[in-house]
Amino acid sequence: MITSVLVANRGEIACRVFRTCRELGIRTVAVFSDADEHALHARVADAAVRLPGSTPAETYLRGEAIVKAALAAGADAVHPGYGFLSENAAFARAVTDAALTWIGPPPEAIEAMASKTRAKELLGIAPLDTVTEADLPVLVKAAAGGGGRGMRVVRRLADLDAERDAARAEAQSAFGDGEVFVEPYVENGRHVEVQILADTHGTVWALGTRDCSLQRRHQKVIEEAPAPGLSEELTRDLYDQAVRAARAVDYTGAGTVEFLVADGRAHFLEMNTRLQVEHPVTEAVFGIDLVALQLRVAEGRPLGPEPPRARGHAVEARLYAEDPAAGWAPQTGRLHRLDLPDGVRLDTGYTDGDDIGVHYDPMLAKAVAHAATREEAVRRLAGALERAAVHGPVTNRDLLVRSLRHEEFTAARMDTGFYGRHLPALTTPAPDPYAPLAAALADASSRSRFGGAWRNLPAQPQVKRYVMAGEEHEVRYRHTRTGPRADGVRVLHTAPDLVVLEVEGVQRRFEVARYGDQVHVGPTRLTALPRFPDPTAQHAPGSLLAPMPGTVVRVAEGLREGSSVEAGRPLLWLEAMKMEHRITAPVTGTLTALHAVPGQQVAVGSLLAVVRGEGD
């Protein structure tokens, strides 16, 4: 019997595993990096062990340090979560060699399937050794790991070598393994997967399908179960291939077999020998706890002869601290509030007041809705996200709501090219035009409570300025003896946290929260501007500023001050939140200043370089 589990991971998945362990009466142990010293997963565990350092390579990728932590804390089992070392056979062996129970598949199965090249060979699928123009487009893909890292779509043969080098570098940084391979890239297919669960007694369950087609940068954004619109014949083929893959390597535990579905056929992609991020939709549909079943299998107990019956439909959306309209740039800062309406499952590694740092994935939470039908589940999730309080950095919340309500998604006609086709429309700003007025009136109400009352005589117009959706908005209102007055609306109620306006005969309520110069009016995010702008906050034309905090990982070869550059040419690369981001020349001209060097930590807005255009 397992009595104490160390989770060799962080954030949301660590908290998720701890929740099941607590319900089963199992003691929990966390590991945490210096950057995660105050993280939720380190706070909620029964015991926590520090891993000195902040980067993954220094901490969560150090298998020997994690095994040592488990022994020191008295754990008798290790759960790897997903990412990091979850598909590392050497780590699995180190756990079992230390007389600890490994909550995962045998190391031999991990070795056979964790390398995508070897997995394809096992199933008789050969990668592309030589690429010609006729093969394009192709996908360069890391042999190890997942989560969209180490993947590049190549559409021009001339770009292949550079993209292969970039994928190798990213894969080495993320997984400690720089092996990559090339495979055909199927445009606009559907990403469909099968959840499997196998015990040590020869039983293999195929726990339904999931559709994970809505992706950005090859990383999933919205997932659902079951995958809609599949024929019975195709579903049986998916099940058969998944079970066959599991039996081919004597698999045990939870795993996922992924496919690209196109033209009515299933093309094998890979097998993930771990729990998936999107596992909650399967749990909701089958009424099970996959973590509890992982523990059961690890203890050697059998599964039932048949899996439970599926009921209804479930949809999951991943809430990220990122700006989809700015190249999915990750965001950092204080998460002041995260709250969703009742009736929706929320899996998260954050609580109100936590800081979102630069070292790890920017996912804040997963929201999951389950209902009798797909239509009801989708509507429930979209409504919950729309009403959610997400106060802090910019997130993809509005994108999620619009995606869930897009006609292609509601009609189940989506594919992996969804965001490539629709991102501009999905990210076109549509803020509430009355949000700035509500913010200004709430601020005035707060000040009146601490500095007097409303005026008895009409006063000069009060002016406040806000940035909303990238544009500056000026608000004017007056203080009167009956309260504030604004043109075109009736002000019915003002308080620091609530403003009620009557607009064209309709009463509208605006919940308001302010944190410094950041104001949230319902789902709308604003920035309050000072009365007098700072004249020093200027940069020379052509300045390249860091779009996010991160680390400069490399500078283009041969680049120096005085170099000629072409518009769009990558000049340097930043790594932040597990992703590499290219900083490119904005115009064709001359590099007049270069302030960035490899290894340098930069803050958002830091001056990296200056490019002077040819005509400047």
Side-chain angles (χ1 to χ4, degrees), residues 406-584:
H406 193 278
E407 60 180 0
E408 278 190 21
F409 186 82
T410 57
R413 292 187 286 106
M414 64 285 178
D415 55 50
T416 55
F418 180 84
Y419 287 123
R421 294 190 300 274
H422 302 302
L423 187 62
L426 291 169
T427 55
T428 299
D432 192 314
Y434 296 99
L437 175 60
L441 294 175
D443 183 56
S445 176
S446 175
R447 295 176 187 274
S448 72
R449 293 189 177 195
F450 294 99
W454 305 117
R455 300 171 185 266
N456 288 325
L457 297 175
Q460 293 296 317
Q462 303 294 304
V463 179
K464 293 184 183 296
R465 296 180 303 121
Y466 297 90
V467 171
M468 180 174 69
E471 295 183 358
E472 184 174 322
H473 294 258
E474 185 176 273
V475 177
R476 292 176 176 267
Y477 64 93
R478 293 176 182 273
H479 291 308
T480 72
R481 58 193 177 95
T482 58
R485 179 176 298 171
D487 294 339
V489 302
R490 285 184 62 201
V491 181
L492 303 180
H493 174 82
T494 62
D497 59 354
L498 178 66
V499 171
V500 182
L501 305 177
E502 185 179 289
V503 181
E504 297 180 350
V506 178
Q507 292 188 14
R508 297 190 56 195
R509 296 168 59 87
F510 298 86
E511 294 185 358
V512 183
R514 180 162 182 164
Y515 312 92
D517 63 355
Q518 187 182 119
V519 187
H520 292 266
V521 180
T524 303
R525 186 179 187 273
L526 307 94
T527 300
L529 295 176
R531 291 184 61 192
F532 306 103
D534 182 359
T536 65
Q538 303 291 330
H539 291 282
S543 295
L544 297 177
L545 308 180
M548 67 208 72
T551 303
V552 178
V553 291
R554 55 192 173 114
V555 174
E557 186 176 356
L559 189 68
R560 59 181 59 87
E561 292 182 3
S563 295
S564 296
V565 297
E566 296 181 357
R569 173 190 171 185
L571 303 181
L572 54 97
W573 287 258
L574 284 181
E575 185 177 84
M577 294 183 172
K578 295 174 61 181
M579 289 290 182
E580 273 194 358
H581 304 268
R582 298 180 182 183
I583 306 299
T584 61

